[in-house]
Amino acid sequence: MAAGDADQQPLPLFLRPIILHGVGAAVHLLLALAIASQLIFAAGNRRGKDPVARGAGFRWGRLAVRATSALAASEVFLAAYSLVSWYLDNSGGWRAPDAVADQADAASRAVAWLLLAAYLQVEYRGRGEERFPALLKLWWALFLLLSALAVAVHAATGLRYRLPVPPLSWLRDAVSVFAGGVLLVAGFSAKSEAASGSVSEEPLLSGAGANRTASDTIDASMFKGAGFLSFLTFSWMWPLLAVGHRKTLDLGDVPDLDHGDSVAGLLPSFKANLDALTGDGSGGQKVTAFKLTRAIVRTVWWHIVVTGLYALIYSLAIYVGPYLIDSLVQYLNGDERYAGKGKLLVVTFIAAKVFECLSQRHWFFRLQQAGIRTRSVLVASVYQKGLSLSSSSRQSRSSGEMINIISVDADRVGLFSWFMHDFWLVPLQVSIALFILYSTLGIASLAALGVTVIVMLATVLPMQMQEKFQGKLMDCKDVRMKATSEILRNMRILKLQGWEMKFLSKIIDLRKAEESWLKKYLYTSTMTTFVFWGAPTFVAVVTFGACMLLGIPLDSGKVLSALATFRVLQEPIYTLPDMISMFIKTKVSLERIASFLCLEELPMDAVQRLPSGNSDVSVEVSNGCFSWDASAEVPTLTDLNFQARQGMRVAVCGMVGSGKSSLLSSILGEMPKLSGEVKVCGAMAYVSQLAWIQSGKIQDNILFGKEMDTEKYDRVLESCSLKKDLEILPFGDDTVIGERGINLSGGQKQRIQIARALYQDADIYLFDDPFSAVDAHTGSHLFKECLLGALGSKTVIYVTHQIEFLPAADLILVMKGGRIAQAGKYDEILSSGEELMELVGAHQDALTALDVIDVANGGSEALSSSGAASLSRSVSSAEENDKQNGEQDFGKVQSGQLVQEEEREKGRVGFWVYWKYLTLSYGGALVPFVLIAQILFQVLQIASNYWMAWASPVSKDVEPPVSMSTLINVFVALAGASSLCILVRALFLVTAAYKTATLLFDKMHMSIFRAPMSFFDSTPSGRILNRASADQSEVDTSIAQQMGSVAFSMIQLVGIIAVMSQVAWQVFVVFVPLTVACFWYQRYYIDTARELQRLVGVCKAPIIQHFAESITGSATIRSFGKENMFVSTNSHLMDAFSRPKFYNAAAREWLCFRLDTLSCLTFAFSLLFLISLPTGFIDPAIAGLAVTYGLNLNTLQAFVVWCMCSLENKIISVERILQYISIPEEPPLSMSGDKLPYNWPSEGVIELHNLHVRYAPQLPFVLKGLTVTFPGAMKTGIVGRTGSGKSTLIQALFRIVDPTIGQILVDGVDICTIGLHDLRSRLSIIPQDPTMFEGTVRSNLDPLGEYNDNQIWEALDNCQLGDEVRKKELKLDSPVIENGENWSVGQRQLACLGRVILKRTKILVLDEATASVDTATDNLIQKTLREYFSEATVITIAHRITSVIDSDMVLLLENGVTVESDTPARLLEDKSSLFSKLVAEYTMRAT
């Protein structure tokens, strides 16, 4: 016995009873105080209140009460027994301070549990409470943890240090662990039972309660209704996995989220937390990244606490194995001290593994749940903010930047949940590791501490560099996404002008700037990878070196314990670079989100809004002074004074840029008010100048959130003359409109906008020149039916350039230079000033062109009753025929709908995707080198550990096979070589990743820019942007790493099995079937997981698209007061995205839990096999090495499958990019054959021969055998109703769509035989939608940089913009913001005119080019065109008859064929011609 005592080691401080009992006493004392105060408070609260009826069948409450009472009784008994024993026999096994701590612990436990039993009796036995408070469940979890910790301490004291543990302590441990387990089960099961209500109990519930519970059960998430065992093992996922295994999952198959995970459940508390922190209701100016973080923490605090608890259990459990490995080696070596303790050792090893697996799985699941919640509240908050931004804030942020905030930054903050506990976990894990090292290697562990600190400090510099690179990378991405977004919006213009390749090179240049930061970021990451993969080896080398220098003997048990500890220490050191890098990225993202939330909002008090009927003055502006730019010297609008009474019609007119649209913005409250007062009485509806249409059904656009009233709806359609259009469409009003109404004509978009306004039945209507986008006939109809008819009793303020609509107004405001120059009735002001006279004079000049015939007589004769009847007949027949001609734009896809559901691949990701990715850069030449480097690393790692185990003596009595210096030197050599392999591997991997990302980007963008226009018409830009931002980000930084992880972890797994089979090949008996089971589970899981991941991808684009649309239409949304409707739609889309994400996370943990269980079985089998062998049968050191490696088996096996699944999920990004690389291309841009003459076309003669055009092979023809010649150097006007084929003819001329039959010759050259750029660069067009790009005035007029400043100034003067640009400080370098929004629509149209004057081609096409300008400016434009294009062929499509009346030839199209073609004079002489009837109708209206 004396010998044994001599062998006893002193008990470390951590294991001293005084520490264990001291902590226990303190915790229980705190609990006792908390419960006592709660009982006093509860008693005060209940005094005087009626007793509550007890909840039906709350079994868990009763179980918790009984278990607590039983535990309290046992604690009182044990405390009394302990006290008596100590009093009678004061010579116990432990010294006095330990005994005092033991008594204090026993007494505080007894008091605390008695008070808790009383509290539960009061709260849950006689009351209706049906679930336990979160803090109580947290205490039960903590109590179970403390009890398990006590068992571990007592086991270590007895096994390792051979000190006696009193039987009373073992008894208390057993009771505590059992009771803690029961209470935890009761606590968590009560929650789910209360949530779902069991089926057997439902009939007992009464009334509304019963209904609610029943419906909740149907809608509730599977997670919420899970019982304890189901929750513990993730078995609640079986039903979904079974469905996913049986069929391809759709979003409808994915269950709902729990209310707590939905935006509706989360946002109110997040907003309240943020407002509380920012100190005021608006919060706006004071949001910082720190406050934002605190608000998030307060919102998901329960998840943070619970995951912290799981992380703590996990951290303690993983170190049990390394701690006991020395004991196992000594047992196998036949050490007497451990005789008969083999089974106890095995049980301890396995119990630790079980705790490790369970805690890790639930830790990871709850982390992901917290991440999903965080992302949801951030996106919802950013969306709400986006809807309320002021105009200056809106201009300071591009839509690309805002899209990045919700698609990248919010995602990143959500992902940070993985790392949120690492700040305290890493130090804790390092501390435990050092404690174990100290217990085995003594003072040499200080060397381990020193080197660990050095390793961590060594990464500070690379991490700071990474933070900088990450920030720059995100800034560059913002700029690129902004440009991409703008280009996609205006792709039609770029194609028509032949500029798409120039703009592609702009994107490529922006990407190059981004790539330079990406390259730096990736190569810096190789430094950190090298440091951290090499760290455990480096720590081991230094620690064993210190042992040699200090003369500390190394036996194999100590070496293996140290090596196992270093392997576990690898985890905190591995996670540190990721954590720091993620912390950096998250900090950057939080700052970006916080700065966005700080942006200025529209002031709510700019307009004083009164309820309907409170005043007979609908709109009043007094002394108004407004400016878009607060810092500008001259305000945009000054000295505004006017009022509109109930039922008045107010017309606003004036020259381009005079402030007409700004006037409406000031009434809406959209424009910053400098001084004055604006009052409105009643609800408003607004129709913007540029139509804002949501993608979705036409009906939804018109209803705009209102209930369907069929009678009213039909009336509105009739007033807006939409009936005919809807009959033509394949699905009527259920037709899905493409993004920005891309498959509707300009006129149709405007009429849908007007219908939306009419259906809202508001009190005040604001129209911003909606009549300019429709033809003369439709314009008259709309004015008569809508403004004079349906809105006869409403207050209407309308901006117009059409003089003929002015006399009907009760008040006319003539704007000039931002002021109201004249105000009054038409007749009054016509004679009182020159501003209106100027406009009317210009209108009269235009009409004089019609004096070829006697307007007064001929016009009225032509519109005699029979004439009118024949005209309306011809109109209706044209529109009837439109039904057959298959609306050029609508049926572009065979199923009829233009925009289809986003295509997603089904089933497994094809092997070709992986192969394509691997072989894209350098033909895959670097892949073998990466693998060889990793295999060498693994072999050298195992060799170094094998060497240490073999060359160290089993115990200090045995002679070592080699000297200490040889032992260390060989180890250093092997370790150094393995670290070198890691460096080589990291460099090769990053090089391949960077090259592949660059190639994929270039190929995808080239493919997108070369795609035909039909691709952009049918693909919402959100889908393209999603690939260019989120998917490209994955390819840039994640996918190569993920592929590497799969390969590296598989190589490591093979290494572990090889080492284990060295000791016991019999392990294969278990390993092979269990591996088969693992792969079966993995295949079963991946069917569901893959589709869930694809659904996540598909559900992301609608969020981005809806966000982009809402930002663009925010003025319209606000004017109708529909903010709540849009916020609710955004919440719905967010929840649809979170659902597959949440269940995907749960599915992954379901799989990992099962894999962990199977690997625990393998480990248990090998341990049992080892202890059952006779002593000396096997080398204890090598057996110990096998167990050391076996400790990592479950982690690694799960990691392999996790990496494979994660890769299969992430590789979908590559699959989506490859989808877009294979889009069919347009014809070649230039032909290599015959070169065109330099001056082609020199004559400008255009001949159409039997031209048949359709938009898709399955659709009917839009142009049907058109044969016509446009003479050179002459002006031809094309007229016809909507849908007659005018725009299709122009698109065929520019080869946006190629002829099916027939040909188009320009100067005798068939345009289908030359390259697209050769053709488009020799033609000019002024399109219907005026477009300006972000940049400067110079870059907008001359994007290709072909002209000098003098030429540009000349063009500006000729298009009436010269003076406007000279007023600006920067002249030609004056900024143009996104969409040209700092220029009026008329000015944008003039800029487009400036482009063609600069280009001066022989053929010019005007497509409704002067729709957005007043008559006077239109006359100037026509004069300029006559002057500069007198020698050119000019083709004009116009709604204003005056724009085509001075043409040399007029072509009238109907139903895709030529009805009339002659000079205007000849056609007007023939009173029966359709053209003369159109002119007569126009002049009738105009006069």
Side-chain angles (χ1 to χ4, degrees), residues 77 238 270 310 423 565 573 683 823 876 893 1010 1097 1113 1141 1158 1173 1175:
F77 169 75
W238 272 113
F270 174 74
Y310 286 139
F423 295 103
T565 307
I573 295 181
S876 61
V893 178
R1010 289 287 292 115
K1141 213 168 171 58
L1158 295 174
L1173 292 173
T1175 307

Side-chain angles (χ1 to χ4, degrees), residues 513-770:
E514 187 184 340
E515 279 169 3
S516 70
W517 294 111
L518 175 66
K519 195 171 194 172
K520 288 173 184 167
Y521 178 79
L522 289 174
Y523 279 100
T524 315
S525 73
T526 60
M527 290 161 60
T528 50
T529 304
F530 169 62
V531 169
F532 286 106
W533 273 79
T537 314
F538 184 47
V539 175
V541 165
V542 173
T543 310
F544 291 146
C547 288
M548 183 177 80
L549 293 172
L550 295 167
I552 296 169
L554 288 175
D555 59 51
S556 52
K558 286 179 178 174
V559 167
L560 289 171
S561 179
L563 286 174
T565 307
F566 296 143
R567 285 178 78 85
V568 179
L569 191 58
Q570 223 171 352
E571 188 181 334
I573 295 181
Y574 271 176
T575 53
L576 195 66
D578 286 344
M579 178 196 82
I580 295 171
S581 149
M582 195 63 193
F583 174 73
I584 290 159
K585 292 178 184 175
T586 307
K587 182 167 166 277
V588 170
S589 291
L590 279 166
E591 281 164 358
R592 284 156 54 90
I593 295 170
S595 77
F596 182 78
L597 293 177
C598 285
L599 290 178
E600 182 193 24
E601 295 187 8
L602 270 183
M604 301 309 293
D605 55 355
V607 177
Q608 195 179 330
R609 299 173 197 275
L610 302 172
S612 180
N614 271 26
S615 164
D616 63 342
V617 177
S618 291
V619 179
E620 183 172 14
V621 182
S622 323
N623 305 317
C625 182
F626 304 86
S627 180
W628 287 117
D629 180 4
S631 59
E633 290 174 27
V634 183
T636 314
L637 298 176
T638 50
D639 200 24
L640 283 195
N641 286 287
F642 77 93
Q643 62 170 228
R645 294 188 167 277
Q646 185 81 37
M648 264 175 86
R649 276 190 296 281
V650 180
V652 183
C653 59
M655 304 285 271
V656 169
S658 59
K660 303 182 295 297
S661 299
S662 297
L663 176 72
L664 296 189
S665 296
S666 68
I667 296 169
L668 288 167
E670 292 290 324
M671 191 175 183
K673 182 174 73 174
L674 304 180
S675 63
E677 198 175 41
V678 183
K679 285 184 191 168
V680 296
C681 175
M684 285 198 283
Y686 168 61
V687 178
S688 55
Q689 186 170 9
L690 290 176
W692 177 74
I693 301 288
Q694 275 183 281
S695 48
K697 292 180 183 174
I698 291 177
Q699 186 185 91
D700 296 339
N701 265 285
I702 296 173
L703 297 181
F704 208 48
K706 286 249 182 188
E707 289 293 312
M708 167 60 97
D709 173 345
T710 317
E711 202 176 311
K712 178 172 156 189
Y713 184 73
D714 285 342
R715 259 200 327 273
V716 167
L717 292 182
E718 195 62 59
S719 302
C720 299
S721 58
L722 277 168
K723 280 272 174 77
K724 287 280 193 302
D725 297 82
L726 294 182
E727 283 167 18
I728 291 164
L729 303 187
F731 292 85
D733 59 1
D734 279 336
T735 299
V736 174
I737 303 174
E739 197 174 14
R740 301 186 314 282
I742 201 148
N743 47 341
L744 296 174
S745 71
Q748 287 168 327
K749 283 192 272 193
Q750 275 298 8
R751 282 179 288 145
I752 288 172
Q753 267 214 122
I754 296 170
R756 173 170 66 206
L758 257 60
Y759 193 83
Q760 293 303 306
D761 200 20
D763 302 300
I764 304 163
Y765 283 81
L766 306 180
F767 288 96
D768 194 353
D769 196 21

Side-chain angles (χ1 to χ4, degrees), residues 448-466:
L449 171 63
V451 81
T452 304
V453 171
I454 289 167
V455 164
M456 290 179 170
L457 289 175
T459 58
V460 172
L461 181 65
M463 286 304 173
Q464 283 175 338
M465 288 163 69
Q466 272 190 289

Side-chain angles (χ1 to χ4, degrees), residues 1148-1174:
R1148 183 180 288 169
E1149 299 313 322
W1150 172 92
L1151 173 70
C1152 288
F1153 174 78
R1154 278 143 187 81
L1155 299 183
D1156 282 353
T1157 308
L1158 295 174
S1159 54
C1160 281
L1161 287 173
T1162 310
F1163 183 58
F1165 175 81
S1166 52
L1167 276 178
L1168 288 167
F1169 180 76
L1170 285 176
I1171 64 161
S1172 62
L1173 292 173

Side-chain angles (χ1 to χ4, degrees), residues 1135-1152:
D1135 288 345
F1137 172 76
S1138 298
R1139 269 162 56 203
K1141 213 168 171 58
F1142 174 82
Y1143 287 101
N1144 198 14
R1148 183 180 288 169
E1149 299 313 322
W1150 172 92
L1151 173 70
C1152 288

Side-chain angles (χ1 to χ4, degrees), residues 54 61-62 65-66 119-127:
R54 192 163 77 206
R62 292 201 294 277
V65 171
R66 286 169 187 164
Y119 170 74
L120 287 177
Q121 283 283 353
V122 170
E123 290 293 316
Y124 294 93
R125 200 58 189 264
R127 286 169 54 71

Side-chain angles (χ1 to χ4, degrees), residues 334-409:
D335 191 320
E336 293 173 6
R337 292 175 301 169
Y338 296 97
K341 291 189 176 164
K343 290 188 177 63
L344 184 58
L345 278 168
V346 169
V347 167
T348 313
F349 268 114
I350 293 168
K353 272 285 158 211
V354 169
F355 271 105
E356 178 194 328
C357 297
L358 276 173
S359 57
Q360 191 183 29
R361 296 286 59 88
H362 286 276
W363 172 25
F364 284 2
F365 173 61
R366 291 295 195 172
L367 281 182
Q368 291 173 85
Q369 192 180 15
I372 290 167
R373 289 183 169 199
T374 304
R375 186 186 189 283
S376 291
V377 293
L378 287 177
V379 172
S381 302
V382 168
Y383 180 83
Q384 285 193 3
K385 182 76 181 182
L387 276 189
S388 57
L389 289 182
S390 69
S391 60
S392 56
S393 301
R394 175 72 190 81
Q395 287 179 14
S396 71
R397 296 296 173 106
S398 69
S399 53
E401 274 178 86
M402 295 192 230
I403 285 168
N404 260 352
I405 285 176
I406 63 163
S407 69
V408 178
D409 293 313

